[in-house]
Amino acid sequence: MSDLISQIAVNQIATKNELLEIIVNEQYDNELFAAADKVRQSIYGKEVYMRGLIEFTNYCKNDCFYCGIRHSNKNAERYRLTPKQIEQCAENGYGLGFRTFVLQGGEDPFYTDDVLCEIVKKLKAKYPDCAVTLSLGERSYDSFKALKDAGADRYLLRHETANKFHYEKLHPANMSFDNRIRCLYDLKSLVFQVGAGFMVGSPFQTTENLVDDLLFLKELDPHMVGIGPFIPHKDTPFANYIPFENNNEPADIANVDGNTNRSLRLTLVMVALTRLFLPNALIPATTALGTINETGRELGIRAGANVVMPNLSPLDTRNKYLLYDGKICTGDEAAECVQCMKRRMKSIGYNLVEKRGDYICG
Ligand code: SF4
């Protein structure tokens, strides 16, 4: 193994220049992925945890420029699941072996703290052996506390980018980088298992931004890190943005394959470096990774990821929760998704397991 990779694997840190060297040079890839795989196996073995994703509302008051369910997208067909429907999704998931439910939605004021706390309490009472993860966007400290007190175990909130200037290129002026970071530290102080993360290849992103993302993760030290490739959505201001072209011109089909491969490689590199930086992290092989490449999730696992997130949402809402175009698995029953994922993991020598899959402290 090269000195550089083994030194990062041992020390769990690197300088900006060392990270840049690895990110831009493909020659490190195989060693990097092998080192990350070795680290995750030393902590989590060959187990892959599954999280049952329940996308319960696609209403959102925000207008993130990259997101297909942003408030301004008048083409999005909006829906909300009732608490009863959410419980039914969990019931279905429990029967399929899920021991973590992820309640995800846009920032929808319809779901007040009281409504959400009731849902969390019911799920925790009915399934005491399961973890409840929330992914509801930015909220106040008091709101996070109420949700924690109601029994929620984990909270996912991607930081999206650790660079304030870049953040402001991806979000409208009424959204605040500082508030997002405040939320993450509030969640940590409330002893949630906290998830951060970012997109790879998002508009205006530089290689230095990716380095900053890794260094920010090291500082925040989250329990979970979601990293997926940027994929444009047709009804957003970034509809025609091709990752790595750094322009907003209409897509040049001739370039798409090359850029997709670049997105894939770079996402895997960031997954692997995250594993070396945060050896104990729970890192999903994201659905977006599986969307840009048929075996993207398998490649993600082999590059150090250890979680997959099949969808438990009702079939008739799946193709309405589209943050980006081309999302896979929108037409499959959850039971089919689990079987498919089991096969996929087995094909690369890993096991999809029916466990809560909590963070293992280092
Ligand atoms: S990324 Fe999240 S907060 Fe932003 S518009 Fe989409 S759902 Fe809303």
Side-chain angles (χ1 to χ4, degrees):
M1 193 184 292
S2 79
D3 287 349
L4 184 51
I5 302 290
S6 51
Q7 174 201 314
I8 298 174
V10 170
N11 299 329
Q12 299 162 16
I13 193 65
T15 65
K16 283 191 176 193
N17 281 343
E18 288 167 341
L19 291 170
L20 281 172
E21 161 91 7
I22 292 169
I23 292 171
V24 300
N25 285 309
E26 292 184 20
Q27 75 202 47
Y28 291 106
D29 288 3
N30 289 340
E31 284 180 39
L32 174 66
F33 300 151
D37 191 28
K38 193 171 163 193
V39 168
R40 60 69 53 89
Q41 282 196 44
S42 72
I43 298 161
Y44 291 101
K46 292 224 165 191
E47 294 188 341
V48 175
Y49 302 125
M50 59 176 182
R51 317 301 198 198
L53 187 61
I54 303 173
E55 297 159 333
F56 69 95
T57 172
N58 70 351
Y59 282 85
C60 187
K61 66 180 170 62
N62 289 335
D63 238 344
C64 305
F65 297 143
Y66 47 84
C67 177
I69 61 169
R70 62 199 299 267
H71 179 74
S72 297
N73 181 9
K74 301 297 175 222
N75 293 329
E77 201 183 323
R78 306 289 172 174
Y79 73 90
R80 291 184 175 111
L81 298 188
T82 63
K84 189 81 207 147
Q85 285 175 303
I86 294 172
E87 282 170 42
Q88 280 162 353
C89 293
E91 191 176 316
N92 181 27
Y94 192 85
L96 293 169
F98 287 91
R99 294 297 177 265
T100 290
F101 305 118
V102 182
L103 269 51
Q104 186 169 78
E107 292 194 20
D108 181 357
F110 176 87
Y111 295 91
T112 60
D113 286 351
D114 286 349
V115 172
L116 288 166
C117 287
E118 246 348 91
I119 294 170
V120 171
K121 278 182 197 162
K122 275 203 176 139
L123 289 178
K124 290 295 293 184
K126 192 162 178 196
Y127 306 107
D129 53 336
C130 293
V132 171
T133 304
L134 302 176
S135 177
L136 312 171
E138 298 174 20
R139 305 180 81 85
S140 67
Y141 177 91
D142 288 346
S143 174
F144 288 143
K145 183 167 185 327
L147 293 165
K148 185 79 175 70
D149 291 345
D153 302 278
R154 308 177 187 144
Y155 202 103
L156 304 176
L157 183 71
R158 286 187 176 191
H159 65 283
E160 303 299 358
T161 171
N163 180 288
K164 189 169 181 166
F165 176 77
H166 185 214
Y167 181 92
E168 287 167 1
K169 292 277 197 184
L170 301 177
H171 301 90
N174 65 344
M175 292 184 70
S176 150
F177 173 78
D178 293 337
N179 192 51
R180 197 153 193 95
I181 302 301
R182 186 272 304 161
C183 286
L184 284 163
Y185 281 100
D186 278 358
L187 289 163
K188 280 212 82 177
S189 74
L190 286 162
V191 205
F192 272 101
Q193 289 182 43
V194 178
F198 55 96
M199 295 177 288
V200 174
S202 63
F204 309 103
Q205 186 181 62
T206 64
T207 311
E208 284 77 13
N209 292 154
L210 291 171
V211 169
D212 288 343
D213 285 322
L214 288 168
L215 296 174
F216 170 72
L217 287 175
K218 187 69 193 171
E219 186 184 308
L220 177 70
D221 195 20
H223 309 83
M224 303 167 282
V225 183
I227 302 171
F230 167 77
I231 305 173
H233 186 287
K234 62 180 173 34
D235 297 320
T236 66
F238 294 146
N240 295 319
Y241 184 89
I242 307 173
F244 310 112
E245 292 287 296
N246 281 337
N247 63 42
N248 281 316
E249 297 302 313
D252 173 355
I253 298 301
N255 273 333
V256 168
D257 281 347
N259 286 323
T260 299
N261 288 337
R262 205 167 156 197
S263 278
L264 175 66
R265 175 198 166 253
L266 206 45
T267 305
L268 297 174
V269 166
M270 298 311 284
V271 164
L273 283 169
T274 301
R275 173 61 65 202
L276 297 190
F277 262 38
L278 303 172
N280 298 64
L282 295 154
I283 304 176
T286 57
T287 303
L289 200 46
T291 296
I292 63 164
N293 185 286
E294 158 61 19
T295 58
R297 285 166 296 182
E298 290 90 321
L299 293 169
I301 296 294
R302 296 177 73 176
N306 60 337
V307 170
V308 290
M309 297 177 74
N311 206 318
L312 288 178
S313 311
L315 265 187
D316 62 348
T317 63
R318 296 270 190 92
N319 59 5
K320 296 177 187 159
Y321 199 92
L322 296 179
L323 308 185
Y324 53 83
D325 286 333
K327 185 179 171 191
I328 54 170
C329 306
T330 54
D332 300 321
E333 291 285 358
E336 292 170 48
C337 288
V338 171
Q339 288 312 316
C340 167
M341 203 57 74
K342 277 190 178 156
R343 277 195 303 276
R344 284 175 181 270
M345 295 303 111
K346 203 166 179 194
S347 75
I348 54 168
Y350 290 80
N351 303 312
L352 194 67
V353 295
E354 300 181 359
K355 293 183 178 177
R356 262 176 65 118
D358 283 300
Y359 180 84
I360 295 177
C361 290

